[in-house]
């Protein structure tokens, strides 16, 4: 039997014990991680099933749910997890687990349905794949065929089941969306498989979550599948061109050819994008089928919003919002809290969320945090950037040559900064006194760039200086720009970290009293590069 564990805060769910309890499988996954807070906000109690409960520890809602250790293929763990459950969400599948994934999916669905019936669960909700009209299931791709079979098994379980069938889900972290993102951003010209002409009806992740939550309250007699999609029907080629427009990229040159098989397509996607080939292959195989909704009956039970479902362009803007508004993580731990289902989660795969290059450095500094922070807050202007002054000067000259601000702006105050201050060719975007300074680049670069400087104490009580340069490239030129300057990072950023540490030591010595009651003379911000 499995262990039933409370979340880190000891909570066992919603404070109203009469509220329906929902079991969410796949709570560490893309949809599950976004569904749980939506269910909590709707007033449901939530129990989350995970093979490794520790993975849920850092979720912002972890202390509001009950965590169950288990696996959907294990009857005993499911029997324990389904005790007292009203609605059970089936949000798992074996995509990317090898050639036996269809058998694994089949066995898991059968076990889930049997245990739900035995536990008296009143509803199952399953998110599957949209299947093409007029195509026999045996002719579908293995991925779509398995999704359809799981839906049939759950509908036959004798537990009222709602099967939601979706095509491509548009939202940061969705494997299908990430594949679209990377192909479009990285290839201004591409030779593509013929499936770029296939018609698809994408759906925004916000609408998917809204439908999933709404299905918890379906009447007991509803036992059927529903097609869910957004208002737009387009080809994959159309989606890439519209992504380019929303992302501010030039129109892409797309040349479809008929010779790329699914295997070659998946290898091509794996080469161009960070999406693993084991995931890219079933997705590209599925794209050879036209997937368009045949009905919109779900609106009878989960009404559309007054302004309708979310269109493709708006879904793209929501998915790209965090980067376009420069909302990067304000915590050094990189544990951001999503504000909406379209926002990325820190637990999404490493390849999700688009390209964000990093240069991260840390070092222990033998001074107090206050001395280190004074140096950080005094950076720029006449104090300089503590490394390779010629390189910074050349970068400023080049920026002015292409119409940028260069290094001529200096700083408002020699000692103190505030949010919104200009700082040479940076802008102060966030400042947590004594802890964090985040600067956003305003020089001309093919993308968005930030520089973060931080102060913290480690477990041994030492002062630790943290430095993080972030770059979100815009198009292929953005990627080329990052790698062209990468060889200089060890000199510029490495020297910067070392010299800030030295300046902090000098600052602390300067502040220490000397015989006679005076202080040692001030030192400049000299560099060792």
């Amino acid at each position: 039997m499995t262990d039933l564990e409370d979340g880190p805060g000891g909570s066992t769910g919603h404070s109203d014990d009469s509220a329906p309890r929902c079991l969410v499988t796949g709570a560490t996954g893309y949809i599950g991680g976004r569904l749980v807070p939506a269910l909590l906000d709707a007033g449901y109690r939530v129990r989350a099933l995970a093979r490794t409960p520790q993975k849920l520890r850092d979720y912002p809602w972890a202390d509001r749910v009950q965590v169950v250790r288990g696996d959907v293929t294990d009857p005993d763990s499911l029997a324990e997890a389904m005790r007292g459950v009203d609605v059970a969400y089936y949000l798992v599948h074996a995509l990317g687990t090898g050639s036996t994934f269809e058998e694994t999916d089949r066995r898991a669905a059968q076990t889930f349905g049997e245990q739900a019936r035995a536990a008296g669960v009143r509803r199952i909700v399953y998110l599957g794949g949209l299947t093409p009209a007029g195509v026999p299931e045996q002719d579908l791709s293995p991925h779509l065929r398995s999704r359809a079979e799981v839906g049939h098994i759950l509908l036959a379980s004798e537990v009222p089941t709602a099967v939601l069938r979706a095509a491509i889900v548009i939202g940061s972290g969705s494997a299908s969306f990430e594949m679209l993102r990377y192909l479009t951003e990285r290839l201004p010209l591409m030779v593509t498989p013929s499936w770029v002409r296939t018609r698809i009806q994408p759906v925004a992740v916000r609408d998917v979550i809204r439908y999933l939550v709404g299905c918890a309250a379906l009447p007991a007699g509803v036992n059927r599948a529903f097609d869910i999609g957004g208002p737009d029907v387009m080809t994959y080629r159309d989606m890439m061109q519209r992504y380019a427009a929303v992302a501010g990229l030039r129109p892409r040159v797309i040349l479809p050819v008929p010779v790329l098989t699914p295997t070659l397509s998946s290898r091509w996607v794996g080469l161009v994008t960070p999406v693993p080939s084991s995931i890219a292959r079933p997705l590209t195989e599925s794209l050879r089928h036209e997937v368009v909704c045949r009905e919109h009956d779900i609106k009878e039970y989960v009404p559309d919003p007054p302004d309708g479902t979310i269109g493709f362009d708006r879904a793209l803007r929501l998915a790209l919002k965090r980067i376009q508004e420069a909302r990067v993580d304000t915590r050094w731990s990189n544990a951001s809290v999503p504000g909406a289902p379209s926002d990325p989660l820190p637990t999404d795969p490493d390849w999700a969320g688009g390209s964000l290059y990093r240069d991260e450095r840390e070092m222990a500094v033998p001074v107090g945090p206050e001395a280190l922070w004074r140096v950080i807050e005094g950076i720029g202007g006449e104090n300089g950037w503590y490394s390779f002054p010629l390189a910074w000067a050349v970068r400023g000259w080049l920026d002015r040559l292409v119409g940028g601000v260069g290094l001529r702006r200096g700083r408002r105050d020699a000692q103190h900064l505030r949010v919104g201050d200009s700082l040479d060719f940076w802008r102060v975007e966030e400042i947590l006194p004594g802890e964090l300074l985040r600067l956003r680049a305003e020089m001309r670069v093919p993308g968005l760039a930030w520089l973060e400087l931080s102060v913290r104490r480690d477990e041994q009580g030492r002062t630790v200086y943290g430095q993080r340069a972030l770059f979100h490239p815009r198009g292929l030129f953005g990627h080329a720009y990052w790698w062209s300057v990468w060889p200089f990072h060890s000199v510029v950023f490495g020297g910067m970290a070392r010299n800030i540490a030295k300046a902090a030591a000098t600052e602390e010595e300067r502040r220490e009293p000397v015989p006679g009651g005076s202080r040692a003379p001030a030192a400049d911000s000299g560099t060792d590069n």
Side-chain angles (χ1 to χ4, degrees):
M1 300 291 286
T2 68
D3 297 328
L4 223 59
E5 301 179 348
D6 289 343
S11 171
T12 56
H14 197 281
S15 58
D16 181 2
D17 291 338
S18 65
R21 184 188 294 279
C22 298
L23 173 69
V24 177
T25 63
T28 58
Y30 171 65
I31 294 295
R34 290 156 171 83
L35 174 62
V36 169
L39 287 170
L40 291 169
D41 290 344
Y44 292 99
R45 294 177 294 161
V46 177
R47 181 179 290 165
L49 179 78
R51 283 180 292 183
T52 308
Q54 290 79 6
K55 290 183 178 180
L56 294 173
R57 182 177 51 202
D58 294 329
Y59 279 72
W61 40 258
D63 61 349
R64 301 171 60 198
V65 305
Q66 189 179 48
V67 179
V68 181
R69 180 185 291 114
D71 190 294
V72 292
T73 61
D74 175 24
D76 290 341
S77 66
L78 278 179
E80 186 79 1
M82 289 187 177
R83 280 192 295 117
V85 164
D86 299 288
V87 182
Y89 285 88
Y90 189 85
L91 302 176
V92 296
H93 58 93
L95 178 65
T97 58
S99 59
T100 62
F101 79 90
E102 288 185 86
E103 173 55 33
T104 302
D105 275 342
R106 183 180 304 117
R107 179 162 49 91
Q110 290 170 343
T111 304
F112 194 85
E114 291 168 359
Q115 295 304 319
R117 183 176 66 252
V121 172
R122 65 172 180 82
R123 166 140 325 266
I124 293 173
V125 183
Y126 166 57
L127 179 62
L130 187 59
T131 53
V135 179
E137 287 192 3
Q138 62 268 23
D139 295 335
L140 296 176
S141 70
H143 169 56
L144 281 181
R145 187 171 60 236
S146 180
R147 289 296 192 93
E149 183 183 18
V150 167
H152 296 324
I153 291 171
L154 296 176
L155 286 168
S157 67
E158 300 181 19
V159 177
T161 297
V163 174
L164 301 183
R165 301 187 299 196
I168 290 179
V169 177
I170 303 300
S172 182
S174 160
S176 298
F177 172 74
E178 296 299 342
M179 194 169 76
L180 170 71
R181 181 208 300 264
Y182 286 115
L183 288 174
T184 309
E185 287 185 350
R186 295 188 174 187
L187 297 177
L189 184 152
M190 58 188 103
V191 176
T192 63
S194 58
W195 48 250
V196 297
R197 299 191 183 102
T198 302
R199 292 202 317 151
I200 303 166
Q201 189 167 353
V203 59
V205 66
R206 291 193 183 195
D207 281 330
V208 173
I209 298 301
R210 182 174 57 83
Y211 288 133
L212 287 168
V213 173
C215 282
L218 287 176
V222 176
N223 186 64
R224 56 163 293 185
F226 295 95
D227 292 352
I228 59 172
D232 301 304
V233 177
M234 64 195 77
T235 66
Y236 202 89
R237 180 176 184 165
D238 293 335
M239 289 195 293
M240 288 193 283
Q241 295 291 22
R242 287 170 72 168
Y243 181 98
V246 171
L249 303 171
R250 292 182 179 180
R252 286 6 217 166
V253 178
I254 301 170
L255 305 173
V257 295
V259 296
L260 288 176
T261 65
T263 299
L264 289 175
S265 294
S266 64
R267 289 179 178 172
W268 169 67
V269 171
L271 178 67
V272 174
T273 80
V275 179
S277 294
S278 60
I279 293 176
R281 177 165 184 172
L283 294 179
T284 54
E285 286 177 338
S286 300
L287 289 171
R288 72 175 188 262
H289 302 296
E290 179 175 287
V291 280
V292 177
C293 295
R294 298 184 290 274
E295 45 82 12
H296 187 47
D297 297 346
I298 188 67
K299 69 179 179 181
E300 298 176 15
Y301 304 98
V302 186
D304 291 342
D307 55 349
T309 55
I310 297 173
F312 183 74
D313 287 0
R314 183 182 169 211
L316 286 180
R317 287 192 291 270
L318 290 169
L320 299 175
K321 187 175 182 181
R322 183 173 290 268
I323 286 294
Q324 289 181 338
E325 292 186 354
R327 291 189 293 128
V328 296
D329 306 323
T330 58
R331 296 184 183 179
W332 196 254
S333 65
N334 197 32
S336 62
V337 177
S342 49
D343 285 342
L345 280 174
T347 46
D348 286 342
D350 292 340
W351 43 263
S355 299
L356 188 64
Y357 293 119
R358 296 173 172 86
D359 183 291
E360 300 185 65
R361 300 169 191 270
E362 277 195 351
M363 65 169 55
V365 182
V367 299
E370 297 80 8
L372 178 57
W373 178 252
R374 284 193 292 270
V375 173
I376 290 174
E377 194 175 9
I379 201 167
E382 293 184 1
N383 290 328
W385 293 89
Y386 293 94
S387 74
F388 207 166
L390 179 60
W392 288 92
V394 169
R395 185 64 183 87
W397 297 332
L398 292 175
D399 193 54
R400 293 186 65 178
L401 282 176
V402 295
V405 298
L407 289 173
R408 57 189 170 184
R409 296 190 305 189
R411 52 181 293 153
R412 175 189 59 83
D413 183 279
Q415 294 181 314
H416 303 292
L417 293 172
R418 62 189 180 194
V419 172
D421 277 358
S422 60
L423 183 58
D424 294 331
F425 46 40
W426 303 90
R427 178 78 59 183
V428 178
E429 185 175 89
E430 180 66 74
I431 185 165
L432 303 177
E435 298 180 23
L436 173 72
L437 171 66
R438 184 169 73 243
L439 307 174
R440 182 182 179 186
E442 292 191 340
M443 77 277 281
R444 295 294 181 93
V445 289
L448 299 172
W450 298 267
L451 179 64
E452 289 185 350
L453 312 177
S454 71
V455 180
R456 67 176 179 88
R457 282 196 183 273
D458 64 11
E459 290 136 358
Q460 287 80 42
R462 299 177 301 176
T463 301
V464 176
Y465 169 70
Q467 179 179 295
R468 183 167 74 151
L470 303 170
F471 182 66
H472 174 65
R474 182 171 176 266
L476 184 62
F477 185 48
H479 293 277
Y481 171 82
W482 172 265
W483 291 112
S484 69
V485 300
W486 180 79
F488 303 101
H489 285 184
S490 61
V491 175
V492 175
F493 291 130
M496 185 176 180
R498 292 191 297 272
N499 289 319
I500 284 179
K502 287 183 180 179
T506 302
E507 167 71 10
E508 187 156 81
E509 289 176 5
R510 184 178 70 85
R511 294 269 176 161
E512 288 178 357
V514 296
S518 62
R519 293 184 180 271
D524 62 22
S525 58
T527 67
D528 61 3
N529 300 103

